[in-house]
């Protein structure tokens, strides 16, 4: 699985968009980009995933660059409850395991 | 929304004792996983399970660990003889297919070995 690089921490004002970047320059053609978050010591929560097209769901949007070497998770209107560690994970379709790095600690302030 | 449930939320066990952690995956899911997270460290993969057999395991998942799906709903992780270093949060996850389908996690069992 390709390795990802994320900033260790970011902050964002409540109500503003939070844009979390991720670099995955060695991603292979069949590997998807997944985003999870972990609030305190709870279980990782799935947010969104994509292959090459941009994706949007009720939680967030995922923007993947055309060369697929980086992506951005967008939380359009961050709330205090979005304070969490956000993980960007690249995974192929054959192996089941998810490799979690250190992620980005997002702090949303009032 | 369907969710993965894990019991107990906290388990305290004496070193050397056996412990069984229980999980009820989402009902139509076919792939099951265990991960663990030692305090302050990364989430680490332990094992994946499909069609009543282990499909992949990490180097952490040694002979002290075993998994079982004893009935149509439960998925269990057994640690035969616990060690102090087994103290961690243990997360169960499930997905409805392998491949690119996302894994959905429970809120974990905190295992404390004394």
């Amino acid at each position: 699985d390709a390795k990802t690089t994320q900033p260790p921490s970011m902050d964002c004002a409540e109500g503003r968009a939070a844009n979390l970047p991720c670099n995955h320059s060695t991603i292979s053609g069949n590997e998807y980009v997944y985003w999870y978050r972990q609030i305190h010591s709870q279980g990782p929560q799935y947010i969104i995933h994509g292959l090459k097209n941009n994706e949007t769901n009720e939680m967030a949007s995922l923007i993947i660059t055309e060369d697929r070497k980086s992506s951005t998770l967008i939380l359009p209107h961050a709330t205090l409850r979005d304070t969490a560690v956000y993980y960007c994970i690249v995974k192929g379709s054959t192996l089941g395991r998810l490799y979690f790095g250190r992620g980005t600690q997002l702090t949303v302030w009032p | 929304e369907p969710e993965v449930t894990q019991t107990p939320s906290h388990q305290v066990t004496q070193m050397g004792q056996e412990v069984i952690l229980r999980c009820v995956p989402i009902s139509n899911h076919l792939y099951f996983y265990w991960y663990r997270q030692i305090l302050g460290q990364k989430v680490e993969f332990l094992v994946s399970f499909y069609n009543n057999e282990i499909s992949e395991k990490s180097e952490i998942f040694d002979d002290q660990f075993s998994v079982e799906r004893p009935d149509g709903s439960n998925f269990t992780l057994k640690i035969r003889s616990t060690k102090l270093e087994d103290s961690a949060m243990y997360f169960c996850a499930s997905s409805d297919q392998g491949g690119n389908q996302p894994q959905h996690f429970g809120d974990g069992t905190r295992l404390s070995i004394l």
Side-chain angles (χ1 to χ4, degrees):
Chain A
D1 286 305
K3 198 172 173 182
T4 62
T5 304
Q6 300 179 252
S9 64
M10 296 182 65
D11 58 31
C12 175
E14 190 176 21
R16 305 297 291 267
N19 297 278
L20 292 95
C22 178
N23 284 317
H24 31 79
S25 58
T26 59
I27 192 170
S28 301
N30 66 344
E31 289 179 322
Y32 284 71
V33 180
Y34 295 79
W35 283 84
Y36 283 80
R37 72 181 182 184
Q38 189 174 26
I39 296 172
H40 197 47
S41 291
Q42 295 176 23
Q45 179 187 21
Y46 165 74
I47 302 172
I48 198 166
H49 75 290
L51 181 63
K52 57 177 84 170
N53 298 321
N54 297 338
E55 303 287 344
T56 296
N57 62 22
E58 65 280 0
M59 289 183 70
S61 294
L62 173 60
I63 307 298
I64 303 174
T65 58
E66 196 168 336
D67 63 7
R68 302 208 324 123
K69 293 186 177 182
S70 65
S71 60
T72 301
L73 179 75
I74 301 171
L75 308 178
H77 306 286
T79 71
L80 299 179
R81 287 179 294 181
D82 292 322
T83 293
V85 178
Y86 286 77
Y87 300 100
C88 168
I89 299 171
V90 170
K91 187 178 84 68
S93 59
T94 52
L95 289 177
R97 69 171 74 186
L98 295 171
Y99 286 94
F100 287 83
R102 291 282 181 191
T104 296
Q105 170 67 59
L106 174 69
T107 302
V108 180
W109 46 274
Chain B
E1 186 175 324
E3 58 183 26
V4 176
T5 56
Q6 292 186 243
T7 55
S9 56
H10 191 190
Q11 173 80 46
V12 181
T13 302
Q14 292 287 333
M15 186 172 59
Q17 295 296 304
E18 174 183 287
V19 67
I20 297 175
L21 308 182
R22 302 181 192 279
C23 169
V24 179
I26 294 172
S27 64
N28 61 337
H29 284 189
L30 302 175
Y31 291 78
F32 313 110
Y33 311 85
W34 283 101
Y35 292 79
R36 78 172 187 190
Q37 186 174 32
I38 295 171
L39 186 64
Q41 298 191 23
K42 300 177 191 178
V43 177
E44 302 173 289
F45 169 80
L46 292 177
V47 66
S48 60
F49 191 85
Y50 169 70
N51 200 25
N52 278 321
E53 59 183 30
I54 290 172
S55 48
E56 188 184 2
K57 62 183 180 179
S58 73
E59 59 280 0
I60 302 168
F61 194 88
D62 61 22
D63 292 345
Q64 293 299 312
F65 291 88
S66 62
V67 289
E68 195 177 34
R69 189 157 161 81
D71 53 42
S73 59
N74 290 286
F75 179 51
T76 62
L77 174 70
K78 183 194 289 186
I79 309 175
R80 255 179 280 282
S81 178
T82 51
K83 303 184 281 261
L84 293 176
E85 53 265 37
D86 293 327
S87 295
M89 284 290 293
Y90 287 80
F91 298 111
C92 173
S94 68
S95 64
D96 63 357
Q97 301 172 38
N100 65 308
Q101 292 303 305
Q103 296 172 27
H104 296 273
F105 287 75
D107 273 339
T109 293
R110 179 173 299 284
L111 178 62
S112 300
I113 307 301
L114 305 179

